[in-house]
């Protein structure tokens, strides 16, 4: 059932409801879970205090084996990221989407690389343009004309 192609409401209201359905649902059910079920007893999570959250190692202490092992594991991972990014790009750049190249068309790999360097320094997980969110992102940003009969 495609709500955007129904004759109910005006097109702008249908589009607004389709765009904001997920955030409204999350906020609504967070409220329901927090206030209507407040009588449910839960064990409190006990966290211990830590003086230093991120501990950055001293690179001068790395042996040659550690550097080579990092390169051995990093090279296939960089190939995986490159392939995954290009697969997502080819799906997004499909002729069906009728995209127009902007001024920063090829910056995505550089931005992802810079973000992953920063994430690596702080021992956080890496990010890349995985499926399915790249095609969904294009669809969300697109101006689509839909005709209702």
């Amino acid at each position: 059932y495609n709500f955007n192609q129904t004759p109910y409401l005006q097109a702008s209201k249908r589009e607004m409801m389709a765009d904001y359905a997920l955030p409204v649902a999350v906020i609504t059910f967070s409220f329901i879970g927090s206030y209507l079920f407040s009588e449910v007893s839960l064990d409190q999570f006990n966290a211990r205090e830590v003086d230093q959250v991120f501990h950055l190692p001293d690179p001068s202490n790395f042996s040659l084996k550690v550097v080579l092992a990092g390169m051995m594991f990093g090279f296939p991972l960089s190939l995986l990221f490159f392939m995954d990014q290009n697969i997502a790009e080819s799906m997004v750049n499909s002729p069906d989407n009728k995209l127009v190249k902007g001024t920063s068309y090829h910056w995505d790999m550089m931005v992802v690389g810079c973000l992953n360097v920063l994430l690596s320094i702080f021992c956080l997980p890496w990010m890349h343009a995985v499926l399915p969110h790249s095609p969904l992102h294009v669809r969300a940003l697109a101006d689509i004309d839909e005709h209702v009969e």
Side-chain angles (χ1 to χ4, degrees):
Y1 182 72
N2 192 350
F3 182 71
N4 283 335
Q5 294 180 349
T6 61
Y8 307 115
L9 299 175
Q10 297 170 348
S12 60
K13 291 180 183 176
R14 285 195 311 264
E15 185 176 349
M16 188 176 73
M17 285 180 67
D19 289 344
Y20 295 107
L22 180 63
V24 168
V26 168
I27 291 170
T28 301
F29 283 100
S30 296
F31 176 79
I32 289 171
S34 296
Y35 294 105
L36 296 182
F37 294 100
S38 61
E39 299 299 319
V40 176
S41 63
L42 299 171
D43 294 334
Q44 187 170 354
F45 179 75
N46 295 322
R48 59 186 176 93
E49 291 290 327
V50 179
D51 293 334
Q52 189 175 6
V53 177
F54 297 111
H55 175 70
L56 300 177
D58 184 16
S60 64
N61 294 335
F62 294 164
S63 67
L64 183 62
K65 286 182 182 179
V66 170
V67 172
L68 291 175
M71 291 171 68
M72 183 179 75
F73 289 118
F75 182 70
L77 194 57
S78 67
L79 286 179
L80 173 72
F81 272 51
F82 180 76
M83 293 297 295
D84 191 32
Q85 187 80 21
N86 283 322
I87 290 169
E89 266 185 30
S90 65
M91 287 182 65
V92 165
N93 295 332
S94 164
D96 297 337
N97 291 333
K98 299 176 185 167
L99 295 178
V100 178
K101 292 182 181 181
T103 57
S104 60
Y105 181 73
H106 294 290
W107 278 49
D108 54 352
M109 281 295 276
M110 189 181 97
V111 170
V112 168
C114 293
L115 285 173
N116 286 338
V117 166
L118 290 173
L119 292 171
S120 296
I121 289 172
F122 294 109
C123 302
L124 295 171
W126 290 350
M127 58 164 286
H128 53 96
V130 229
L131 304 173
H133 74 261
S134 294
L136 293 175
H137 184 68
V138 168
R139 175 99 172 135
L141 294 177
D143 290 329
I144 298 171
D145 291 334
E146 294 184 6
H147 302 284
V148 179
E149 296 176 11

